[in-house]
Amino acid sequence: MDSKPSKPIIAALLEPLPVLTQGQNDLADEGVVRLLVRGFIDLSLAAFQEVLHKGLAEDDAIDGINRQATALNSVFFGTSGISNVVTHPWNSPEQLGAFLKDTVALDFPEDDCVRAMLIHLATQLMHALRLPDEDRNEEVEALTLDAADLLLGRAPQDDDEIDIDISM
């Protein structure tokens, strides 16, 4: 598996955002972070659906989801090299990575915690596909909001527990 995400993958994740953000993708902007999370979720759900319909091998789906998570890891840590992404001191392994490691109880190095959290999110999405449509939509929305909150440095609000269950 390719360990370095290609810039076209990352740029594709950010493609719809410049129109909404006037050319800047500020990672302190909740709307930008939610759009990035939702883009990852949509890509993951599409990959899972393709696997279910036999249009994609499971290993290929997992590799694609991991590539997207790795790309977002570099975006959120400010190492993507994309000039229209505005990062802040928070967007570092020492800040965001440590927060994710502690809050979500990740057993990964701080510089890989965004990717790890997103992979766990994808696992939760896979389980959400088994729910009836209405419940699935609610679960996907809750997971989107929780993941965005985490990437903004906020523990999810609604429960004492974080919805992104990493016990699997």
Side-chain angles (χ1 to χ4, degrees):
M1 177 173 19
D2 187 10
S3 63
K4 285 178 70 176
S6 65
K7 286 191 181 188
I9 292 171
I10 298 167
L13 289 170
L14 295 167
E15 187 175 299
L17 299 180
V19 173
L20 299 173
T21 59
Q22 299 174 357
Q24 294 297 311
N25 295 301
D26 190 332
L27 296 181
D29 182 328
E30 188 169 346
V32 169
V33 173
R34 280 189 183 172
L35 283 169
L36 286 168
V37 169
R38 189 58 204 214
F40 174 79
I41 285 173
D42 290 345
L43 288 166
S44 297
L45 289 172
F48 294 142
Q49 289 295 337
E50 280 192 63
V51 168
L52 289 173
H53 293 89
K54 308 290 187 217
L56 186 64
E58 189 174 328
D59 287 345
D60 292 336
I62 291 168
D63 288 347
I65 290 167
N66 189 56
R67 278 192 302 276
Q68 297 302 322
T70 301
L72 281 171
N73 193 76
S74 70
V75 168
F76 278 97
F77 287 140
T79 60
S80 68
I82 297 176
S83 62
N84 69 345
V85 174
V86 178
T87 59
H88 302 276
W90 166 253
N91 298 108
S92 69
E94 298 79 21
Q95 296 282 326
L96 175 57
F99 171 78
L100 291 173
K101 186 172 185 154
D102 291 343
T103 305
V104 188
L106 296 170
D107 191 21
F108 291 86
E110 282 87 359
D111 66 352
D112 195 33
C113 281
V114 170
R115 185 198 65 79
M117 186 269 299
L118 291 170
I119 294 300
H120 290 303
L121 171 61
T123 301
Q124 289 302 105
L125 291 169
M126 187 172 54
H127 292 289
L129 286 174
R130 296 182 183 137
L131 299 172
D133 286 348
E134 186 176 312
D135 294 339
R136 179 181 340 138
N137 293 338
E138 273 184 40
E139 181 68 10
V140 168
E141 183 61 23
L143 289 169
T144 301
L145 296 175
D146 285 351
D149 280 347
L150 287 167
L151 291 167
L152 289 163
R154 301 185 301 236
Q157 296 294 315
D158 294 333
D159 320 288
D160 292 335
E161 273 180 41
I162 294 171
D163 282 343
I164 300 173
D165 180 8
I166 63 167
S167 62
M168 313 221 165

